[in-house]
Amino acid sequence: MSEARIVIVGAGPAGVRAAEALVNHGLAPIVIDEAPAAGGQIYRRPPAGFARPARVLYGFEAAKAQRLHAAFEALRPRLDYRPDTLAWNVSEGSLWTQRSGTIERIPFDRLILCTGAMDRVIPLPGWTLPGAFTLGGAQVALKAQGCAVGRRTVFFGTGPLLYLVAHQIAAAGATVAAVLDTSRARDSWHALAGLVAVPTTALKGAWYQLDLVLRRTPWHRGIRPLAVMGRDRVEGVRFRDANGTEREIACDAVAFGYGLKPETQLAELAGAAFAYDGAGLWLPRVDPAGRLAPNVYAAGDGCGILGADAAELAGRRAGLAVAADLGRTVPPREIAGIERRRSAIRAFRAGLEVAFPTPTELAATLPDATILCRCEGATVGALRTVANHKDAGEINQAKALCRVGMGRCQGRVCGFAACQVLAAARGVSVEAVGRLRAQAPVKPLPLAARLP
Amino acid sequence: MTGTMATDVCIIGGGIAGCSAALHLAKRGISVVLLEKGRIGAQASGVNFGGVRRQGRHLAEIPLALRGRPMWDRMVDLVGEDCEFRATGHLRLARDPADMAALETYARDAGALGLDLELIGGNELRRRFPWLSEVPVGASWCPGDGQANPRVVGPAFGRAARAAGADLREGEEAATFERDGKGFRIATTSGLAITSRALVNTAGAWAGRVAGHFDEPVPIHSIAPQMVVTEPSPHVIGPVLGIVGGALYLRQIERGNVIFGGGDGLADIATTRSTVLPRNTVEVGALACRLIPHLARLNVIRVWTGIEGEMADVIPVIGPSRTTPGLFHAFGFSGHGFQLGPIVGVILAELIADGTTPSPIAPFDIGRFVG
């Protein structure tokens, strides 16, 4: 009898721990990853030849990063590991990949999607100027290449990443011109009950904020960003402070974001059902073990944002679920231990949502002339026009009529804000306008790529 | 929704043909209720390639295509927007001498019907269209053909029909049909009941079901033509391209995206789901690169398909029912109904209001499948 073919997409915290659980049960998965080295976004490794120590790259998380990298290296002999490989479709019981111009169809018995997350973006005037980055993009430049995105950078938005990346850029020697948080100080106090569920992580967050104060970095809470300014590139940021006063800060780069959103395209193509989370995101429905659709599993931030520690646990849980579903014996105690730790992280995460609420109203109040979909150059006003004058009440219908979300990224960047704009223009809930349907390829696919 | 509505005409199916019929009936002061089970222009009318083409059609369709062509120039007057129609010309490529001979025969036959085509040899072809590879040996050129954006055409006709007074209902699926001495009684799955004097079947891939209710079975099956769009690149490909045999059709829009199609995915009318087969995408992409080498530098950003009805003889059914007075059909456009949709609506309005049409529709009679 031939061994079941198990394919894991993603070699971040969830994917690595899923692979480990399978190998521990004598199974040998295929691991597909877009990056050249395992670790995911959070524990991304620099290219060969870069010799920056883990302590510098990962800060407080250095030990976790090194443990994950070491775990993966130990698994390598038992894995069919395929780095630099794009998984672009799930169809006909197969995963479709592309690497260096070669397309492959990989039929699977079981598929585990560990596709992670990306920045949640809310556009504003000037956000497409050179020098404007997402928080995650700024962090990737730093981790992968040791580059700061500017000499004087303003960080704005909200969420833990706002403080982490500002801290990392400052520690790397660049100037943090200001940190502008849309959440208010009192939001943090309201969140305490949840945050104490994982006190070590809460303390790290507090330390990043304290570090800002020690460095005398201008720090405002309860702000509303108004515009990224500049003619040909970023020259400053205009915002309204908590007292309602408009202010400007000069800078040569901005990094902004409002938390993360899951990467769900492959899950959708694999047949996932989706549920609205009540806060602007549609999440694939999974059972506690990560079962998503027949023979398809998902784990990590791709199912909803819980962070890297939870992703490691969910990955292990999904790996064990596959092993159990293939007839291997998994001790219930092991599952119970994972679930206990996951529920503590969920409580902490709920606290974070209170501490850093997503300012969903920002998109709805953007000026008409603001670029909403940067791939297609479609404005907020174009979307409002089809909502008001062409009776487009659903986001895919609106996309067809005004091109928002129709470009290279297929709405991965603008989709969140586009739904907010459409819902406000129609006077309905965000849930009522639906979600952008995923279509293959989930990322651009070279037309020259060929099946062998 | 529940309740009973009385109307002159009930139309089943809100594609371009159905919405154009609603528009032209309403303009004549005839009351219309249109039932669309999903959204206006969402299936074959909205997800097709977007070619507005006369050449290459079955010769029986040429008179309709010729009559319909001026409507595309008047879209702004007709529906309030140009629907991105551009008369870019259509170039039909031959890859070998046998294909070229087929183009020569077709040009002679179409010319006799009033469609003038120019035959172009290989050298002249590459002089005029230098982005083509050495693969095509010649082509047939139809300068008045062109392209439009299918996603906006159906909704534009729908809005115009509403503005003219037609009552278009989305999310209303006709479930039962009855005919009595006075007319039709239609009930939807949501409980809406409609009585009408005439009934129009423009239900696309689902039209066989409607015809079946009136003991008029037709050989129709569902197809899912596959489409691809690339990222934008400099706009160099002016005309719409086709090739003899139909394995590829391709155009570049002014924004720079290249859109092409070829091959069939999977269609399921029971669930209204259609699926792209990735292998077709890759193979059609390879053919596109063989004909236009610079495409090999581009990325595909999206693929799609949708559900269309195809007749056994690959030409549509247009005209009155043979079993049921007051019932009119227009369906089964077999993957080439986009250009015809607007004029078919005019013809349906003529059949209902005038009892006759100047267009020669005999070849599309549903009676051709009997016996």
Side-chain angles (χ1 to χ4, degrees):
Chain A
M1 193 184 97
S2 67
E3 196 176 88
R5 184 184 270 209
I6 307 165
V7 182
I8 299 172
V9 178
V16 170
R17 295 305 179 193
E20 184 179 56
L22 291 165
V23 167
N24 287 344
H25 281 274
L27 298 160
I30 300 171
V31 177
I32 307 291
D33 193 36
E34 243 182 295
Q41 298 292 355
I42 181 157
Y43 305 133
R44 174 186 291 273
R45 281 190 271 191
F50 279 61
R52 295 163 70 228
R55 185 81 194 82
V56 172
L57 277 168
Y58 309 114
F60 286 132
E61 314 304 326
K64 280 184 205 163
Q66 286 174 310
R67 277 202 298 274
L68 192 85
H69 295 155
F72 189 75
E73 292 311 316
L75 297 171
R76 280 287 294 276
R78 290 287 295 145
L79 304 177
D80 177 351
Y81 169 51
R82 305 183 191 181
D84 291 314
T85 303
L86 172 70
W88 59 274
N89 199 358
V90 181
S91 176
E92 302 156 90
S94 305
L95 184 76
W96 294 73
T97 64
Q98 189 271 138
R99 180 187 188 178
S100 307
T102 299
I103 287 172
E104 191 171 350
R105 174 185 175 174
I106 309 175
F108 57 80
D109 296 303
R110 309 284 160 162
L111 174 66
I112 308 179
L113 298 173
C114 304
T115 47
M118 62 177 282
D119 289 280
R120 188 177 343 184
V121 172
I122 300 174
L124 74 166
W127 72 291
T128 58
L129 283 169
F133 293 79
T134 62
L135 291 169
Q139 198 187 32
V140 166
L142 187 66
K143 269 193 238 177
Q145 300 287 333
C147 291
V149 294
R151 292 178 192 281
R152 268 179 63 80
T153 305
V154 171
F155 291 81
F156 68 89
T158 197
L161 205 56
L162 177 66
Y163 294 95
L164 173 61
V165 182
H167 165 79
Q168 288 172 327
I169 292 275
T175 301
V176 176
V179 174
L180 311 175
D181 190 338
T182 55
S183 76
R184 301 159 303 180
R186 65 171 179 271
D187 295 325
S188 301
W189 294 111
H190 293 156
L192 263 182
L195 296 178
V196 295
V198 187
T200 49
T201 309
L203 284 173
K204 284 174 204 163
W207 195 84
Y208 297 139
Q209 295 185 341
L210 178 63
D211 180 52
L212 277 181
V213 176
L214 294 176
R215 290 177 194 269
R216 299 177 183 280
T217 305
W219 177 25
H220 297 268
R221 299 199 68 169
I223 67 104
R224 286 295 171 266
L226 298 174
V228 176
M229 298 179 305
R231 186 201 286 279
D232 301 316
R233 56 162 301 115
V234 172
E235 293 167 11
V237 173
R238 191 153 51 81
F239 67 102
R240 187 177 300 122
D241 69 18
N243 300 321
T245 308
E246 282 195 21
R247 295 163 170 258
E248 291 182 10
I249 296 179
C251 59
D252 63 358
V254 296
F256 71 105
Y258 301 86
L260 300 175
K261 64 187 275 285
E263 291 272 45
T264 60
Q265 294 80 13
L266 283 175
E268 182 173 351
L269 293 169
F274 281 78
Y276 187 66
D277 78 342
L281 296 178
W282 290 83
L283 305 178
R285 280 176 201 260
V286 290
D287 77 0
R291 294 181 189 88
L292 178 95
N295 302 324
V296 185
Y297 305 69
D301 277 357
C303 301
I305 307 303
L306 287 171
D309 295 352
E312 288 194 46
L313 293 165
R316 203 169 124 213
R317 183 77 179 82
L320 292 173
V322 169
D325 292 350
L326 290 171
R328 304 299 200 277
T329 305
V330 177
R333 222 183 42 214
E334 190 173 358
I335 305 286
I338 292 172
E339 288 306 327
R340 215 167 26 248
R341 292 168 62 195
R342 285 173 84 188
S343 58
I345 295 175
R346 279 195 201 99
F348 174 76
R349 190 69 223 179
L352 279 184
E353 298 297 336
V354 176
F356 303 109
T358 308
T360 47
E361 72 285 0
L362 281 187
T365 54
L366 286 172
D368 276 346
T370 310
I371 295 282
L372 175 58
C373 167
R374 62 178 180 177
C375 298
E376 292 290 324
T379 62
V380 171
L383 178 56
R384 287 184 183 139
T385 298
V386 299
N388 294 328
H389 302 299
K390 295 192 175 178
D391 199 30
E394 192 268 340
I395 189 67
N396 294 287
Q397 205 184 0
K399 165 186 162 183
L401 296 179
C402 75
R403 313 194 69 88
V404 162
M406 211 182 238
R408 223 180 288 246
C409 87
Q410 292 211 60
R412 290 164 63 237
V413 174
C414 72
F416 174 81
C419 289
Q420 306 280 349
V421 170
L422 181 59
R426 299 283 296 186
V428 300
S429 71
V430 175
E431 184 176 9
V433 302
R435 71 196 166 85
L436 283 171
R437 277 190 297 271
Q439 285 162 305
V442 301
K443 287 185 185 168
L445 179 72
L447 194 47
R450 296 285 169 262
L451 284 153
Chain B
M1 170 162 302
T2 55
T4 299
M5 306 170 66
T7 183
D8 293 328
V9 182
C10 180
I11 300 175
I12 311 298
I16 297 169
C19 290
S20 173
L23 170 63
H24 289 96
L25 287 164
K27 278 183 165 178
R28 288 166 177 252
I30 296 168
S31 63
V32 178
V33 174
L34 182 150
L35 303 177
E36 164 53 49
K37 70 175 176 56
R39 291 191 182 281
I40 296 297
Q43 288 298 326
S45 291
V47 296
N48 70 78
F49 167 64
V52 179
R53 155 183 81 85
R54 295 164 296 176
Q55 80 159 329
R57 290 184 173 279
H58 190 288
L59 293 171
E61 293 178 354
I62 295 289
L64 274 60
L66 290 174
R67 188 181 170 206
R69 173 61 184 79
M71 292 179 79
W72 289 93
D73 292 319
R74 295 189 287 105
M75 278 297 166
V76 174
D77 297 332
L78 198 58
V79 298
E81 59 180 281
D82 71 359
C83 297
E84 299 171 37
F85 172 70
R86 302 288 183 273
T88 55
H90 181 271
L91 192 62
R92 196 158 169 240
L93 302 173
R95 284 179 289 174
D96 57 41
D99 283 358
M100 198 60 209
L103 289 182
E104 286 161 9
T105 304
Y106 186 86
R108 196 177 56 237
D109 295 344
L113 294 169
L115 178 63
D116 290 329
L117 302 175
E118 179 192 358
L119 294 165
I120 306 176
N123 292 338
E124 174 67 4
L125 185 63
R126 271 171 285 282
R127 191 188 66 74
R128 279 158 69 171
F129 307 104
W131 33 266
L132 283 169
S133 73
E134 295 292 319
V135 172
V137 300
S140 165
W141 171 238
C142 187
D145 283 355
Q147 51 189 299
N149 182 348
R151 295 181 195 281
V152 304
V153 177
F157 270 93
R159 285 193 301 278
R162 279 188 173 130
D167 186 354
L168 276 58
R169 302 290 178 109
E170 293 176 275
E172 289 285 1
E173 181 173 5
T176 62
F177 301 86
E178 291 167 38
R179 176 84 172 91
D180 62 21
K182 294 193 288 286
F184 298 88
R185 184 178 174 84
I186 303 104
T188 70
T189 51
S190 73
L192 180 68
I194 291 155
T195 58
S196 68
R197 293 193 291 115
L199 181 65
V200 174
N201 176 16
T202 47
W206 292 262
R209 291 181 176 180
V210 179
H213 281 289
F214 297 97
D215 300 320
E216 212 160 24
V218 284
I220 185 172
H221 68 277
S222 303
I223 57 171
Q226 291 197 181
M227 306 296 157
V228 179
V229 60
T230 71
E231 63 196 332
S233 64
H235 187 218
V236 296
I237 304 171
V240 183
L241 295 186
I243 60 174
V244 176
L248 170 75
Y249 30 95
L250 182 146
R251 64 191 181 104
Q252 185 174 25
I253 62 173
E254 287 168 355
R255 268 189 53 73
N257 308 74
V258 177
I259 298 168
F260 61 92
D264 261 327
L266 307 174
D268 181 359
I269 61 168
T271 57
T272 312
R273 275 188 74 100
S274 53
T275 310
V276 170
L277 295 177
R279 181 173 297 275
N280 288 345
T281 301
V282 177
E283 284 170 0
V284 173
L287 175 56
C289 293
R290 277 201 297 282
L291 292 169
I292 308 171
H294 77 261
L295 297 183
R297 297 196 297 268
L298 299 180
N299 284 302
V300 170
I301 60 173
R302 188 172 60 254
V303 302
W304 73 92
T305 185
I307 304 180
E308 158 77 325
E310 183 174 85
M311 305 309 298
D313 56 7
V314 207
I315 58 171
V317 170
I318 305 169
S321 161
R322 289 289 162 182
T323 63
T324 311
L327 171 63
F328 298 87
H329 300 292
F331 62 83
F333 289 89
S334 309
H336 45 263
F338 183 55
Q339 193 267 2
L340 294 177
I343 193 66
V344 166
V346 172
I347 291 169
L348 286 166
E350 289 166 348
L351 289 171
I352 292 166
D354 307 334
T356 183
T357 172
S359 286
I361 57 169
F364 312 111
D365 192 326
I366 195 167
R368 71 185 190 268
F369 301 116
V370 176

